[in-house]
Amino acid sequence: MTTSDTAPTTSPSSNPAATPSTSPAPAPAPARDLVLVVDFGAQYAQLIARRVREARVYSEIVAHDLPAEQLLARRPAAIVLSGGPASVYAEGAPEVDPAILEAGVPVLGICYGFQLLAQTLGGRVEPTGTAEYGGTDLTVTAGDSTLFHGLPREQTVWMSHGDTVTAAPPGAVVAARTASTPVAAFEDPERRIAGVQFHPEVLHSEHGQAVLEHFLYELAGCRPSWTMSGVIDEQVEAIRARVGDKRLVAGLSGGVDSAVAAALVQRAVGEQLTCVFVDHGLLREGEAEQVERDFVAATGVSLVVVDARKRFLAALAGVADPESKRKIIGREFIRVFEQAARELVAAADAQGEEVEFLVQGTLYPDVVESGGGSGTANIKSHHNVGGLPDDLAFSLVEPLATLFKDEVRRIGLELGLPEPIVWRQPFPGPGLAIRIIGEVTESRLATLRAADAIVRAELTAAGLDRSIWQCPVVLLAEVHSVGVQGDARTYGHPIVLRPVSSEDAMTADWSRLPDVVLARISTRITNEVGGVNRVVLDVTSKPPGTIEWE
């Protein structure tokens, strides 16, 4: 993105007390092609990498200041220069080392990367005073274009730029234009270099994926050989080689990330893995049972269940501040997991074995946001274990650290996990505690759990539960609204529905659910859930609002 604000990002919580040894995400096998996405501060850098992977070509993100020799040492099959918020002619603007462009590696520039490519190769970039934001009509001007061959001459693309390429580099052919941008795309097939001013990675560019694939397959010669079954085979081999005969422990939260990570390690080492599930009583209806029954049945894993429901409720008594809730839940989780881990270590010692590894469901976005895969990893808070004492300092095994959420789900299905676990919507580590606005009590948890179960059931019945990112259900426990039920005046609590659509949770829009579904949900909640007499819909996007209320 050029000369425009980028969306805010979030990073996993860093805990200085946690000092487990870590290792970099495994490098791709030499047999598969690697595409490196050079991040110039783009809002959509992760999305570019995802779209490349959707074309079945492996991709990773690297920082724009990575030295050229280190970048080229990765032997990439192609390089993509991302967008970014700067102007290429501004003092201190990020640059691309000409050595990268002279190495013979195919390069695609997108938005800022496109302008940087043009300027570095001798083209011209200017502030014309005419910006383009949002959907824009594009005209393909080169009849023999590699990027656009077989695509409509007129198409809609997503623009976000203030500066304009007014002259393509020498030797490059102008492939497309818009009413305001004379050079909206160019390509140089001999040098295998191309660029587009628009964002092909976003869904609003109607043929964007095809443009990316034309670059990958035809200009760069990449092979579409990256598959989830191949990922499983690679990880199983890597885990076995690293772990040997040592034992591992994994913390299960009920979420898809920890479940798939544990199932993948179980596939590799079998009985060497023990999973610990801390039941803090803050999950939604049926989710604890999914872990204790369905996950074990699907994987055969050895599971230790710690019933800590009363402990967490006691610790949360009288606490309404959301940040205090998060800290309390994180602290108690660590203490409970620590005790369970100590018992596992002691039991292993008694048998002459060693528990050396901790399995974490860290995903690639976590790695990127906490250091770009440089070999350091911040341990996520709440339901992933952080802050363990030094004498329980495990080495981390992170088998999902090169994967995005959608890829993790596909891995889970390949491993045979039940669909209700694989397709579980994102859920906060502190659970229902931060979806209760006010103090957390057993009765309020029961109220929210019942309302949430109705929402999930109705979304499933309507075939909508997979078309939205998630639908937090919030209980305004400190708010009373007047109502009439059974010819009597009532003072009940409102329930808020927060259905959102997103690809990565960095930005989100509220989901337009059918009126008939909303009406059904409202009727059922007010009829079936005691103490609730009003259901409201949150229609705020992110930004300015967050997905969760607390």
Side-chain angles (χ1 to χ4, degrees), residues 56 76 253 468:
R56 295 176 59 195
S253 68
I468 62 175

Side-chain angles (χ1 to χ4, degrees), residues 257-280:
D257 301 342
S258 65
V260 173
L264 187 50
V265 173
Q266 171 74 7
R267 172 72 64 90
V269 300
E271 295 180 356
Q272 291 169 238
L273 172 68
T274 300
C275 292
V276 175
F277 171 54
V278 177
D279 185 358
H280 50 34

Side-chain angles (χ1 to χ4, degrees), residues 438-504:
E439 181 186 4
V440 179
T441 67
E442 191 167 4
S443 62
R444 288 174 175 178
L445 282 168
T447 297
L448 181 54
R449 199 172 277 122
D452 178 89
I454 289 171
V455 173
R456 287 189 291 146
E458 291 299 329
L459 291 178
T460 299
L464 296 170
D465 52 351
R466 294 187 192 178
S467 64
I468 62 175
W469 176 260
Q470 60 177 302
C471 185
V473 179
V474 182
L475 173 63
L476 303 185
E478 301 297 332
V479 176
H480 287 82
S481 64
V482 67
V484 177
Q485 292 173 302
D487 296 326
R489 189 179 182 87
T490 63
Y491 289 94
H493 299 293
I495 285 286
V496 180
L497 308 182
R498 176 69 166 135
V500 295
S501 299
S502 180
E503 287 198 281
D504 52 18

Side-chain angles (χ1 to χ4, degrees), residues 178-201:
T178 72
S180 302
T181 303
V183 185
F186 64 71
E187 53 190 71
D188 185 341
E190 285 192 14
R191 298 182 65 180
R192 298 198 295 172
I193 289 175
V196 294
Q197 179 63 74
F198 61 91
H199 288 276
E201 70 274 19

Side-chain angles (χ1 to χ4, degrees), residues 366-495:
D366 303 324
V367 175
V368 171
E369 292 166 4
S370 62
S374 61
T376 61
N378 295 325
I379 299 180
K380 294 185 292 182
S381 62
H382 309 313
H383 58 243
N384 284 333
V385 182
L388 292 178
D390 289 342
D391 59 350
L392 284 175
F394 299 104
S395 296
L396 293 183
V397 172
E398 299 174 298
L400 311 180
T402 62
L403 303 177
F404 290 101
K405 176 75 79 172
D406 56 324
E407 296 166 337
V408 170
R409 296 191 195 280
R410 284 151 56 196
I411 291 284
L413 293 174
E414 291 254 1
L415 292 171
L417 293 183
E419 289 200 2
I421 292 179
V422 172
W423 289 105
R424 183 178 186 251
Q425 292 180 356
F427 189 61
L432 297 178
I434 62 167
R435 292 183 177 175
I436 294 174
I437 310 303
E439 181 186 4
V440 179
T441 67
E442 191 167 4
S443 62
R444 288 174 175 178
L445 282 168
T447 297
L448 181 54
R449 199 172 277 122
D452 178 89
I454 289 171
V455 173
R456 287 189 291 146
E458 291 299 329
L459 291 178
T460 299
L464 296 170
D465 52 351
R466 294 187 192 178
S467 64
I468 62 175
W469 176 260
Q470 60 177 302
C471 185
V473 179
V474 182
L475 173 63
L476 303 185
E478 301 297 332
V479 176
H480 287 82
S481 64
V482 67
V484 177
Q485 292 173 302
D487 296 326
R489 189 179 182 87
T490 63
Y491 289 94
H493 299 293
I495 285 286

Side-chain angles (χ1 to χ4, degrees), residues 1-7 9 36-49 60-68 71 79-90 92-98 100-101 107-120 160 194 196 199 201 368 506:
M1 184 173 290
T2 305
T3 61
S4 62
D5 293 335
T6 55
T9 60
L36 293 180
V37 177
V38 181
D39 184 7
F40 289 97
Q43 178 178 353
Y44 301 124
Q46 291 188 28
L47 189 53
I48 296 171
E60 289 185 8
I61 301 169
V62 296
H64 68 83
D65 56 359
L66 182 71
L71 186 151
I79 295 169
V80 178
L81 308 179
S82 84
S87 293
V88 293
Y89 49 78
E95 300 178 348
V96 60
D97 191 326
I100 292 174
L101 306 181
V107 178
L108 174 69
I110 295 176
C111 201
Y112 178 85
F114 167 69
Q115 296 176 3
L116 188 60
L117 198 58
Q119 178 174 272
T120 306
S160 184
V196 294
H199 288 276
E201 70 274 19
V368 171
M506 292 170 59

